[in-house]
Amino acid sequence: MYDKRENLKQIDLLDFRNNKKQLIISYFLRAIGVIVFGYIFLLITNFLANDSEVVLKELINIEIKSLPAILSIILIILDVVFVIFLHELIHASVVFLTHKQKPNIGIRGLIVYAAAPENVLTKAQFIIMALAPFVAISIIGSVLIFLLQQSFWPWVFIPTVANAAAAAGDFMAVLWALKQPENAKFIDEGDITYAYNSQ
């Protein structure tokens, strides 16, 4: 299949829009990510809080004594939604900084995505764009754990883990991109990414 964009020949695609198998794998990886990254960030938190051992129960306790329980639940949901939105803004910022394109941000099913359909990305640019939110938010979360009092830690720990788990689709995209030829080009439509070879 030939694409009009810069005479590129499509060689592969990662399709979360139409390929149910790839979509289900991404959801499965997100579920596994909650466990894996929950444990990793628990270890990081214990390392940063070197004066006492922190248990997971303390890091998921969102109770605010002066508020009704339902309000604490609503607040943690808003906290996680904000971080997921920040995740997509970081994707979008990388596209804007590297290509001066205003990216598209959208939602399809349970997937929120930032797309750069007007630009052709190199393999390195695509991988940096894919990994930037995971790296940036993980660092921000770790710094906040270090700086804030322990009572605030659940409000950092939970969204940081949620962000890392949500990055499962990004990790899938990176692994997929690494399998492509070294000179491959990529066009990212958010829930579908195309790999091309130059003519």
Side-chain angles (χ1 to χ4, degrees), residues 6-40:
E6 298 189 17
N7 296 316
L8 299 173
K9 181 181 179 182
Q10 183 182 321
I11 54 173
D12 202 357
L13 78 159
L14 183 64
D15 186 354
F16 294 130
R17 185 185 305 168
N18 306 303
N19 188 321
K20 300 297 183 206
K21 181 180 176 184
Q22 289 178 344
L23 183 62
I24 289 168
I25 290 170
S26 78
Y27 286 150
F28 176 75
L29 290 175
R30 285 174 173 88
I32 297 294
V34 171
I35 297 166
V36 171
F37 290 113
Y39 181 70
I40 290 170

Side-chain angles (χ1 to χ4, degrees), residues 62 64 66-78 155:
I62 59 169
I64 301 174
S66 59
L67 295 177
I70 188 66
L71 193 51
S72 292
I73 293 169
I74 291 169
L75 288 173
I76 198 64
I77 290 170
L78 291 174
W155 302 90

Side-chain angles (χ1 to χ4, degrees), residues 10 13 21 28 73 75 117 143-145 148 150-152 192:
Q10 183 182 321
L13 78 159
K21 181 180 176 184
F28 176 75
I73 293 169
L75 288 173
V143 169
L144 288 175
I145 291 285
L148 295 175
Q150 191 166 342
S151 59
F152 292 101
I192 301 180

Side-chain angles (χ1 to χ4, degrees), residues 10 23 27-28 45 52 56 63 70 80 82 92 100 102-103 111 136-137 140 162 171 175 181 183 197 199:
Q10 183 182 321
L23 183 62
Y27 286 150
F28 176 75
T45 302
S52 62
L56 184 61
E63 179 186 11
I70 188 66
V80 170
F82 170 77
K100 302 294 184 266
K102 181 182 176 184
I111 294 178
I137 293 173
I140 291 168
F171 296 136
L175 291 174
N183 65 343
N197 252 347
Q199 296 301 294

